[in-house]
Amino acid sequence: MGLFEGKKGLVFGIANDKSIAWAITQELAAQGAEIGFTHLPESDPARPKNERKLRKLVEPLGSTFVMPCDVQKEEDIDAVFDAAKEQIGPLDFVVHSIAFATIEDLKGPVYNCSRDGFKLAMDISAFSLIALARRAKDALVPGGNMLAMTYLGGERVIPGYNVMGVCKAALESSIKYLASELGAEKGIRVNGLSAGPVRTLAASAVSDHSLMDKLYSSMAPLRRNITREEVGKAGMFLLSDLASGVTGENVHVDAGFHIMGAPGEDMSEKADE
Ligand code: NAP
């Protein structure tokens, strides 16, 4: 029997088969989860490209719950949770895998970020978790949980990450406050998964992947970058009852990169030369 047999949840943030949320979904589905999905509504509703793409991915998993949701719109979020209550029932988990900033504001420096661009990036990338949590607290069963995707740029300065690093810091702090509040009210867990670089649509805006690969192969304790599957498996673990004692945590799935302060070579030997 799978770890998620009889468990149900919602996943926000699959753009395509490269998305981190898709990697997590595949692991959840393999363990028997029943999942509902959302996509960003199309600007032209007559050409539902996002919906078609998402349905093509998730229908082979037996999922029919696919709804539009722009996390900037309260009415969209309400509609998703109302429909989930009716069509799916009480939820065991909610996955938040969403971020956005305009290229102009992302390219930095941070002090040049526009006021409107900052508000937009924060709204979509950080506040949206709070907005989902407000509904999830009633939709989740006691002991249910939420998981949000983050990155080391929220803890340290990562060149190129700029305003998204500021958003991730807000997201990571929100995870802790929400974990405390929802844990006390209903035993609900809230965690963050801090993934190493994964080639996705969103990542193409912030990182040069071949440079990242080189950096990880020389600096990370495992001397390599992580795989999409490793992120998927760790996400599935955090969402499962195996992690029932873990909350308010920021779990790094980054081949250990975050612990290093310098390249993996022994610098003292270099200094002696
Ligand atoms: P992705 O496949 O592009 O996923 C990002 C998702 O956010 C897309 O589905 C996008 O929809 C959605 N989105 C953007 N604005 C939205 C809005 N207003 N309402 C609803 N959905 C919206 O990229 P990803 O890399 O998997 O990103 C998922 C999460 O992982 C993000 O939080 C990201 O910061 C985080 N993360 C990524 C990496 C990495 O290296 N890839 C590393 C660490 C953390 P559309 O595509 O339709 O616009």
Side-chain angles (χ1 to χ4, degrees), residues 13 15 19-20 40 69-71 97-98 149-150 168 195 197-198 200-202:
S19 296
I20 287 180
L40 193 60
C69 181
D70 179 345
V71 291
S97 192
I98 288 172
M149 299 307 128
T150 186
K168 290 303 189 192
V198 179
T200 64
L201 268 184

Side-chain angles (χ1 to χ4, degrees), residues 112-176:
N112 272 346
C113 182
S114 66
R115 190 178 295 267
D116 283 347
F118 185 84
K119 284 187 194 164
L120 179 74
M122 275 287 186
D123 190 22
I124 297 178
S125 314
F127 178 76
S128 59
L129 179 69
I130 295 175
L132 294 194
R134 191 176 309 142
R135 280 74 172 192
K137 132 177 121 54
D138 298 323
L140 285 165
V141 296
N145 77 99
M146 299 184 75
L147 180 66
M149 299 307 128
T150 186
Y151 178 60
L152 187 60
E155 300 167 69
R156 314 244 177 99
V157 174
I158 306 286
Y161 208 57
N162 302 326
V163 69
M164 192 48 69
V166 181
C167 293
K168 290 303 189 192
L171 181 80
E172 289 173 17
S173 184
S174 306
I175 287 168
K176 292 182 192 144

Side-chain angles (χ1 to χ4, degrees), residues 48-62:
K49 202 166 60 102
N50 292 350
E51 181 187 346
R52 254 205 316 268
K53 247 188 336 188
L54 184 57
R55 281 195 185 279
K56 207 169 149 197
L57 271 182
V58 304
E59 279 177 357
L61 305 178

